[in-house]
Amino acid sequence: MSLDGSWLRHPTCIANEEGERQIACAISYAGEQVYIGNGAKPHLVKNGKNTIMGFRNLLGHTYDEVDHTAILTAPLIPESKTPAYTVDILLPAPKPASNPRSAAASGAATPNPAALEPIPSTKTITVPEVTSLFLSTLLTSATDFLGVKPTACVVSAPTWFTPAQTDALREAAEAAGIHVIQVLDEAAAVLVGYRAGNAGEEEKGDKRVVVLDMGETSLGVSVVQVSQGEYTVLAKGRDDKLGGREFDNLLLKHFAKEFTKKTKVPLDLPCGENASAADKRADAKLVLAVEHTKRSLSASSGAATCAVESLKDGMDLSSSINRLRFDGLASGVYRQVGAKLTEIVQSAGLDLAQIDEVLLAGASTLFPGLQQHLSLLVPPTTPVTAAIDPSQVIAIGCALQALHLSTLEDGLKVEDVLATAKQTAEVTSAPIGIVLPGQDSEELAAIVVDSGAPLPVRRRVAIPVSSAGKFGFELWEGKHEVKVEKVERPPIEKDEEDEEEDEDEEEEDEEIKTAITKKVKALDGVSVEAKGEGKILLEVIVQRGGGLEVKAWQEGHEDSADKFEA
């Protein structure tokens, strides 16, 4: 995207020449043709050995470091240090040489029919070259849409990318003619994208956010501490075998059974390596139809249809599935996603009750059933957010970041900003909050500075007062905990037969978890003489190294502030 267009202040995900906004990361060689993007996906089954997918994740790796069991397309060349593929291609036939005698007799050369046939050959292409080829098509689409070539771009990389992989992605983009000013972490891109008001808009307050990114082939989960626009990753993890492809396989199995039930023609999908040619053709046809079915299930509450002409043995498939039935089929995948979410949150030393928001990214998170399942795992006050199309939010976040970097002062270089951003920041180790006079609770009344806030940090809170007088506050260091309360389930009326069957079973009490912050250590206190009704402002500054400065005053009377340093 261009950095100097005013329309970028309202970013949108543009469509390519075919009207597609989500481009599959796939390339397929078929004879003399090269299919890039969504057009390559149908070749996965019928031309799998010449179809390449998932290549971005192999950047920066050697052949020995790659998980070969996760590669479902063209195999890698064992002899190559840098992962590379060999694919079959057809080279254009050379121009026929003219025959002087034939030309003299008839005035034109007689072509040799055999010389006009394309020549079978092979092509070796490395992972960086495949990535550059794919990115060059995106650059061409953006240039055609804008009318000018973008001057600079921000590209995204998964949170789990190593520095070597990030550098390899940058180099591949530069080789494609893309000037990269930043490789943005995908979790950060999601956070920026969901805060799409103005580029560089700061997040208000401190919170813990989970970014759940589920694409076609993998699931990524990041736990991020957000402190007024500064992001610190607390934990991250991924599952390379859990993605949208699982939903594809569920639908393939479902419609294959429906087809066999109606036509009596045996069809077992998804097909394995030893499947017949007829089953492979049926698999390829049904994969394309299932794509449309998935989109309908995620966008509409009604039934989604699936129709394929001559699926196998000349028999047609015409069936439908409603959302309730699909959620039943996908419940196992939903549980796996929830289990991975819980695992990563726990690895950060947190409980799901301590998460303030879950942000969704990736086209596979569009299913309402998955969103509902995730919302049941977190407290009712924790939103599961998909306000922006999850399949587009990363691109929107990159566009906003590009706009932000383009507005930097002329004297400030982008490289200087990026170097500063890469430095590891000191953060607060424990939350700091206030205790009100006469408070008997073991919990803090309010948190002023949360744990994980990058240092130095300044926070200010306003406390309303209704009359004149002296008001005091204690400042405490706290500790985050989860309070678990067991609530007895209401008895269920049963008849005598049910009571006999369930007499040995005991109803477990329901657990309600609440995130709390307990008092641990008193730091000091401040008092303010209020002149009348108004607001008392309390300001806490934590310096690098742990220096603490606290100041309190009534709004409009800062000259009479009470303060202390520790």
Side-chain angles (χ1 to χ4, degrees), residues 431-506:
I432 299 173
I434 58 174
V435 174
L436 301 176
Q439 179 181 334
D440 297 329
S441 172
E442 295 182 355
E443 302 174 26
L444 296 178
I447 298 174
V448 182
V449 180
D450 207 345
S451 57
L455 300 179
V457 60
R458 179 198 301 264
R459 293 291 186 270
R460 183 180 292 183
V461 295
I463 305 167
V465 293
S466 57
S467 60
K470 195 168 188 177
F471 295 88
F473 307 94
E474 293 180 358
L475 206 68
W476 283 70
E477 189 177 275
K479 179 183 179 182
H480 291 306
E481 292 186 1
V482 176
K483 180 180 176 182
V484 180
E485 294 179 308
K486 290 193 174 183
V487 180
E488 186 177 350
R489 297 179 185 270
I492 302 175
E493 295 184 4
K494 301 178 181 179
D495 54 30
E496 294 181 359
E497 294 182 1
D498 291 336
E499 288 180 358
E500 291 178 0
E501 293 177 359
D502 301 339
E503 60 183 0
D504 295 332
E505 297 182 5
E506 294 183 2

Side-chain angles (χ1 to χ4, degrees), residues 56-86:
R56 182 197 64 169
N57 295 348
L58 305 184
L59 285 169
H61 283 303
T62 63
Y63 176 85
D64 295 332
E65 294 172 341
V66 174
D67 179 11
H68 298 275
T69 61
I71 299 177
L72 305 177
T73 54
L76 299 173
I77 303 174
E79 294 80 11
S80 62
K81 182 177 180 182
T82 300
Y85 308 90
T86 296

